Amino acid sequence: MPERRPRKDAARNREAVLAAADALFVRCESPEDVTMADIAAAAGVGKGTLFRAFGDRAGLLRALYEARLEPIRQAVEVGPPPLGPATPPRDRVPALLDAVLCFKLDNRRLALALEEGGSSSPYRAEHYGRWHSLLRAVLEQVPGLTDSDFTAHALLAATRADLVEHLAGEERIPRERMRSQLANFVTSVLASGPPQGLTAEE
Amino acid sequence: MPERRPRKDAARNREAVLAAADALFVRCESPEDVTMADIAAAAGVGKGTLFRAFGDRAGLLRALYEARLEPIRQAVEVGPPPLGPATPPRDRVPALLDAVLCFKLDNRRLALALEEGGSSSPYRAEHYGRWHSLLRAVLEQVPGLTDSDFTAHALLAATRADLVEHLAGEERIPRERMRSQLANFVTSVLASGPPQGLTAEE
DNA sequence: GTCAAAACGGACCCAGGGTCCGGATTCTAT
DNA sequence: ATAGAATCCGGACCCTGGGTCCGTTTTGAC
């Protein structure tokens, strides 16, 4: 099956919708007061178009999220340390979580809209699955650390969009402070367990 | 102001609604397919009654939640160790989080409905505020532990209703295993920092 | 028993996600 | 270039579910 590519206008409209949605989410107070009709209007497009292109609200949000996430995904999969695969586990774990935190700080409303969007739990999203299994795998390589699966969940939970929003918005905690607090937290989780040998173990 | 007490029928109906809602939430698959109309019908009451008594959906959920939470609240505020105030901080922290976890396991659907209920973030709920400031205060008494505020948030995040639901439902992790994993996690967070002297410090 | 205050309940309203289909656009083949 | 089919457009329309309103009923104080 040749998988014929979409028509030109379809592609153009798809981009217009993504751009419009992004802009609206940045400007809005809360994600739920940007409606599908709003997005369609802002993109100069009919509602039908928007639903045909993305299926439903969640689909649109996902598409936006994935697009924004792409650079980080690259950096994690094939980039240089401290995010890339060549990093020693004890350094990579904090780096990964810091990246997630920064991403959510930079895309607060969007992340909020997607994670707490209602209907299905954020834990079913495949992007969560990716972060979790990656983190889990890296944690597994940290000597003396058990329960990597749960630990990965728990660490990621510390970067939940609504928590980040609360800390940044309500408690007015500055970005750098939040990053360092998360780093400390992660470190303390990693630090426990058997003596994490200094430099020379034998 | 005498604050005259409610009429008999009002009180009776209020109880009926709470009971009906509780029953429905236990039976349902997802909290969002138990509608306000359903609850009213199940309680043998009109929708108006239900809204007059609780204000809105969130109000009803909150009322239910608080009611279920009451025993634990008592145990924490005036009960014996390990939950009560007489417990040494290092022991009380895990106990508190274990209590939260167990509560969410026992009231999965309800907690889900309230925390991810939509509109306003769970971090604005006053019951969250209570848990957080208590935990924060206890953490503050653990020597060598910094960032109690953030740490309290991060630890509580590990017991978020939808995470618990995911672990118990999707990943089929048994209760006791989850409790011990959480306990390990908490311990590792507490363990770091300065030497937590054995028994004799001087 | 009487009467005002309080509560009842279901018809009603409305926003917002999602669907539908007649008409406009784009691609392909000749 | 152009006919014709495939695809897409867009906004009128539907439907669910939270929340409101008000005529009627219940309660309880005197």
Side-chain angles (χ1 to χ4, degrees), chain B:
Chain B
M1 52 197 71
E3 183 74 17
R4 65 205 318 153
R5 47 185 226 184
R7 256 167 52 170
K8 204 168 23 180
D9 53 350
R12 177 173 41 75
N13 280 336
R14 186 186 169 90
E15 292 313 309
V17 167
L18 284 175
D22 196 31
L24 286 181
F25 277 119
V26 172
R27 275 163 182 63
C28 74
E29 197 63 31
S30 160
E32 61 205 35
D33 48 44
V34 46
T35 165
M36 293 303 266
D38 290 343
I39 298 177
V45 136
K47 265 176 67 175
T49 301
L50 176 158
F51 279 97
R52 193 166 338 96
F54 300 98
D56 58 7
R57 182 172 233 263
L60 169 51
L61 276 302
R62 264 198 311 269
L64 247 183
Y65 199 80
E66 297 288 345
R68 290 278 167 290
L69 211 48
E70 190 52 26
I72 296 177
R73 182 176 179 170
Q74 288 294 328
V76 167
E77 285 179 3
V78 299
L83 274 183
T87 321
R90 266 208 164 60
D91 299 331
R92 202 178 178 202
V93 172
L96 289 172
L97 286 157
D98 186 58
V100 175
L101 174 61
C102 288
F103 177 77
K104 304 230 181 151
L105 281 167
D106 293 333
N107 301 275
R108 279 159 60 172
R109 303 288 146 63
L110 175 57
L112 249 184
L114 186 57
E115 284 186 25
E116 328 299 325
S119 36
S120 79
S121 106
Y123 292 97
R124 278 186 169 126
E126 64 314 319
H127 65 87
Y128 183 84
R130 284 204 307 273
W131 282 113
H132 177 262
S133 41
L134 172 60
L135 189 55
R136 183 183 172 289
V138 179
L139 284 171
E140 212 121 69
Q141 297 177 336
V142 174
L145 203 150
T146 61
D147 297 333
S148 332
D149 193 272
F150 179 84
T151 306
H153 280 303
L155 288 177
L156 284 173
T159 69
R160 291 272 305 246
D162 50 2
L163 176 53
V164 171
E165 169 72 19
H166 176 75
L167 294 176
E170 228 74 15
E171 301 196 8
R172 303 254 170 234
I173 296 180
R175 182 187 181 96
E176 293 309 320
R177 176 156 171 70
M178 210 184 305
R179 291 178 66 188
S180 83
Q181 290 183 140
L182 177 63
N184 286 344
F185 184 75
V186 175
T187 300
S188 80
V189 172
L190 253 48
S192 82
Q196 69 272 34
L198 298 175
T199 28
E201 189 75 20
E202 54 240 300

Side-chain angles (χ1 to χ4, degrees), chain A residues 7 9-10 13 45-49 52:
Chain A
R7 257 167 52 172
D9 54 349
N13 281 337
V45 137
K47 267 176 66 176
T49 301
R52 195 166 336 96

